[in-house]
Structures are given as C-alpha cells and as structure tokens.
Amino acid sequence: MSEITQLFQYNTLGALMAGLYEGTMTIGELLKHGDLGIGTLDSIDGELIVLDGKAYQAKGDKTIVELTDDIKVPYAAVVPHQAEVVFKQKFTVSDKELEDRIESYFDGQNLFRSIKITGEFPKMHVRMIPRAKSGTKFVEVSQNQPEYTEENVKGTIVGIWTPEMFHGVSVAGYHLHFISEDFTFGGHILDFIIDNGTVEIGAIDQLNQSFPVQDRKFLFADLDIEALKKDIDVAE
Ligand SMILES: [Zn+2]
C-alpha cells in the first residue's frame, strides 16, 4: 500500500480542557475518517474507543456500550490504521518499558503514529472521565474521576502517539484507550502490565485537523494556551 495515511483529528484537546464539551460531530461522520482511535463523548461522558471501525463508550459506571451513528462527540482522533511495524511482546513488561520498545522502532520523533496492542494484561488501570457540564474545567473534573484496575484481562489498546510540537492540540506522547476482548471493560489508560501480546505501529503521513466551525462557544472561546498545556499534563 502506497496510499497516504491521514490522521483525522476533530477539535483540539486544548478546547476540551477549556470546558468545551458539547458534542458537534456524529460518530457516523467520524468513522468515515478512520477505524481506530480515541476521544470522548458529548458532556465528556466517558471515553471513546474506536476499534476495527466500531465505536464504543466506556462510561464512569464501568459499563461499555456500542455507539450508534447519531451520537455526537466534542473531541476525537481516528486513523485508517495500517500496521507498518509489528512485533510480539513475549515477556512481562510495564507500560513504560513497552513504550520504550515501541519508540525504538520510530524513525525520529516528529511524526504521529497509530498504536494497536492486542494481548493479555496482568494489570490494566483505566479511568473514565465523568459526565460534566460545559464550562467546568477538565482538570477539575478529572480530580474526581472513577478509576478501575482489572487483573488478567485480555483485550486491545488503541491510540495515537503525538510529537512534542503538537502538545496542546493533542497530548504529546501516548494517548491510549483500552477495551477488553469481551467488551465489558475499558477506558483511558493510566498504566498497565502486559505479559503477552502483539504490538502494531502504524505510520501517519498527514494530519487533518478539523474544527467545530459552527460552534459559537468554540469560535469565541478565549483560550489560555500555556495554562491549557499545563492542564493537559495534569489531566492526561
Ligand atoms: Zn483518553
């Protein structure tokens, strides 16, 4: 395949951090742009997980629902994932150790990448951002977020690795979400241990940064960029 792989990013993490939580793009529209990705839902009601072309919501009450096309999102990033590097992880490592191994395959630090890791996890620690009203700062909401740890769970990690220069638009480094094989457990990953799995790293050639151009709140929001970057460090 010599096709160009484009990361489709809807809205910015910075706008989300500022409290702009209103869903403005439908899942149906979003899924036209990719089959793997992450995001959140209207009113930041949990975590969005896009796996194999289907969208799921991991809610704060520890349930998972598959989303219909009419549901709206305020922020998401999806990509038509094409594995460029595939390797097996055959011994137990922490998330940090696995991330070092993943990065050893990168050609430099300046391109986005898609990440898909399917395997067995002795530990998977996730959070689900709880539903909140627009205007409440994300970093405040995240201080009271439900967190869950599951042991010995099989499933898939999906997400994006972002270069440093895009911190603010997205979160620099890894933004990973998890969903279990039986679709009963998932969320935004805080940390994990993997003891067996297959890691896929996808190349990304282009970024399609899309904006909620008809959302008045976004258009006229007064964003304090430096403060938002700090909030992303704390909350993501
Ligand atoms: Zn997330």
Side-chain angles (χ1 to χ4, degrees), residues 17 139 164 167 171-172 227-236:
M17 289 290 141
V139 72
E164 189 75 41
H167 191 62
V171 55
L228 290 174
K229 286 184 180 182
K230 284 197 194 107
D231 285 356
I232 291 173
D233 290 338
V234 174
E236 293 293 330

Side-chain angles (χ1 to χ4, degrees), residues 4-213:
I4 299 275
T5 304
Q6 193 173 66
L7 171 63
F8 178 79
Q9 189 154 285
Y10 183 62
N11 209 342
T12 64
L13 202 54
L16 195 71
M17 289 290 141
L20 300 167
Y21 303 150
E22 216 165 300
T24 43
M25 172 169 278
T26 64
I27 291 290
E29 179 64 27
L30 182 71
L31 292 180
K32 288 180 191 166
H33 299 279
D35 58 10
L36 174 146
I38 45 98
T40 187
L41 283 302
D42 182 68
S43 305
I44 54 167
D45 186 14
E47 308 289 338
L48 173 69
I49 301 143
V50 177
L51 172 65
D52 299 332
K54 289 185 179 155
Y56 305 88
Q57 175 186 21
K59 294 192 195 181
D61 63 359
K62 209 184 167 204
T63 57
I64 304 258
V65 290
E66 189 178 338
L67 298 168
T68 49
D69 283 354
D70 57 317
I71 301 287
K72 287 184 175 174
V73 299
Y75 170 79
V78 295
V79 60
H81 173 70
Q82 294 276 352
E84 185 184 53
V85 174
V86 180
F87 69 85
K88 298 270 187 204
Q89 180 60 41
K90 291 182 176 171
F91 57 93
T92 308
V93 287
S94 69
D95 50 341
K96 293 285 167 283
E97 289 167 317
L98 184 64
E99 287 171 5
D100 286 347
R101 189 171 176 201
I102 290 171
E103 281 162 62
S104 74
Y105 292 100
F106 289 5
D107 295 320
Q109 300 286 311
N110 298 324
L111 292 176
F112 287 85
R113 277 156 181 104
S114 57
I115 306 285
K116 183 177 183 182
I117 305 166
T118 301
E120 296 167 25
F121 303 87
K123 180 190 175 195
M124 178 56 70
H125 179 201
V126 299
R127 74 112 195 268
M128 301 81 159
I129 199 80
R131 187 179 176 88
K133 278 202 199 107
S134 275
T136 321
K137 284 178 77 188
F138 194 95
V139 72
E140 283 161 25
V141 179
S142 73
Q143 300 311 307
N144 296 302
Q145 63 193 11
E147 293 180 20
Y148 298 99
T149 301
E150 201 84 337
E151 288 176 1
N152 300 317
V153 58
K154 286 184 186 176
T156 303
I157 292 171
V158 295
I160 308 293
W161 186 90
T162 296
E164 189 75 41
M165 76 170 112
F166 289 93
H167 191 62
V169 172
S170 182
V171 55
Y174 296 89
H175 187 169
L176 304 174
H177 289 186
F178 176 77
I179 190 160
S180 66
E181 190 183 55
D182 59 5
F183 300 99
T184 59
F185 176 74
H188 173 101
I189 295 177
L190 297 172
D191 56 90
F192 65 86
I193 295 169
I194 182 169
D195 63 7
N196 179 27
T198 302
V199 179
E200 298 181 15
I201 307 168
I204 291 173
D205 307 290
Q206 289 182 353
L207 171 64
N208 178 350
Q209 174 63 60
S210 192
F211 297 96
V213 292

